[in-house]
Amino acid sequence: QLQLQESGPGLVKPSETLSLTCTVSGGSISTRNYYWGLIRQPPGKGLEWIGSVYYTGSTYYSTSLKSRATISVDTSKNQFSLKLNSVTAADTAVYYCARHTPFVGIAARGWFDSWGQGTLVTVSS
Amino acid sequence: FMLTQPRSVSESPGKTVTISCIRSGGNIGSNYVQWYQQRPGSAPTTVIYEDYQRPSGVPDRFSASIDSSSNSASLSISGLKTEDEADYYCQSYDSTNAIGVFGGGTKLTVL
């Protein structure tokens, strides 16, 4: 059974860079026609898609975060990672890793079918 | 584009409730719609995918539809149980710009 596990510092200082790693187990991150995404949820608020990466390294980002976010993949470790720079208190959220089917092309379904448990990242001095 | 949901709905046990998800910008039928259930402190789980498909393990009390005339999707839950009380999110995507989009979420109260 596919499992995703988020890891990273639970506390980040304002203006610094938030780093988060998602480890995939029970399946290969190099599986074709699956993308690996990051979604966040501020306390008491809704879900926000941050961006996604394919095993080849191709990336997609939300319009609002693309200037600060970088998502990368390490197929040798079956991991993908998020770096979000210049963070503020507004970036405080539970961050989720998830697998999804493509947004583009003949196989486009856009379904987030497996999720990690999420990890709370607090931005505070 | 945006997906707009009511912030909250409430209904009694045993009744049927419907949650709407209105797409502004583009045709609702252009991209599949998913619905997720999220209980407090837990990650979202799928109750509907690809407009109206149910994952194994999701009871047939959950159903969904697409209405092109109102450019919206709807999730219906019949025979409401207290365990259905949760937040529900619709989700779709923009194939042109390769962007994922979530609705704002609806808090369902079963009382």
Side-chain angles (χ1 to χ4, degrees):
Chain A
Q1 183 181 351
L2 188 75
Q3 292 189 326
L4 295 91
Q5 180 67 56
E6 304 87 353
S7 61
L11 182 64
V12 181
K13 290 182 168 55
S15 80
E16 295 191 344
T17 297
L18 180 160
S19 295
L20 187 72
T21 296
C22 303
T23 301
V24 178
S25 59
S28 173
I29 204 168
S30 299
T31 304
R32 297 184 73 174
N33 286 324
Y34 281 105
Y35 283 72
W36 304 92
L38 282 298
I39 300 101
R40 70 179 183 178
Q41 185 172 37
K45 297 189 177 181
L47 301 168
E48 178 184 23
W49 174 74
I50 299 169
S52 300
V53 65
Y54 196 51
Y55 76 93
T56 58
S58 293
T59 51
Y60 301 129
Y61 296 102
S62 79
T63 305
S64 62
L65 290 170
K66 67 185 303 181
S67 64
R68 297 194 294 127
T70 302
I71 301 174
S72 59
V73 63
D74 186 337
T75 56
S76 67
K77 295 182 178 178
N78 233 29
Q79 294 177 335
F80 60 108
S81 299
L82 167 70
K83 290 190 185 302
L84 186 66
N85 60 35
S86 305
V87 297
T88 69
D91 295 308
T92 294
V94 174
Y95 285 75
Y96 293 101
C97 306
R99 183 182 77 168
H100 69 87
T101 50
F103 294 154
V104 179
I106 196 167
R109 299 290 188 269
W111 175 26
F112 292 87
D113 66 347
S114 293
W115 295 67
Q117 65 185 21
T119 187
L120 175 63
V121 180
T122 302
V123 178
S124 175
S125 55
Chain B
F1 66 89
M2 291 178 58
L3 298 172
T4 301
Q5 302 178 233
R7 291 190 67 104
S8 64
V9 295
S10 62
E11 190 50 271
S12 303
K15 301 289 190 180
T16 298
V17 70
T18 298
I19 298 171
S20 63
C21 173
I22 301 172
R23 175 168 173 162
S24 56
N27 186 343
I28 189 72
S30 296
N31 308 104
Y32 287 107
V33 176
Q34 278 68 236
W35 290 90
Y36 304 92
Q37 177 191 70
Q38 186 181 35
R39 295 193 173 99
S42 296
T45 60
T46 306
V47 290
I48 295 289
Y49 69 99
E50 295 177 15
D51 291 345
Y52 52 82
Q53 303 290 342
R54 276 190 316 277
S56 60
V58 174
D60 60 6
R61 299 186 297 106
F62 290 80
S63 62
S65 61
I66 301 293
D67 183 352
S68 58
S69 65
S70 59
N71 213 37
S72 67
S74 294
L75 172 70
S76 293
I77 310 171
S78 62
L80 275 170
K81 301 183 177 184
T82 55
E83 68 200 47
D84 298 329
E85 194 164 280
D87 293 326
Y88 292 85
Y89 293 89
C90 60
Q91 175 262 317
S92 190
Y93 52 97
D94 178 340
S95 290
T96 301
N97 300 299
I99 291 174
V101 181
F102 285 92
T106 299
K107 181 176 180 59
L108 169 62
T109 302
V110 181
L111 40 63

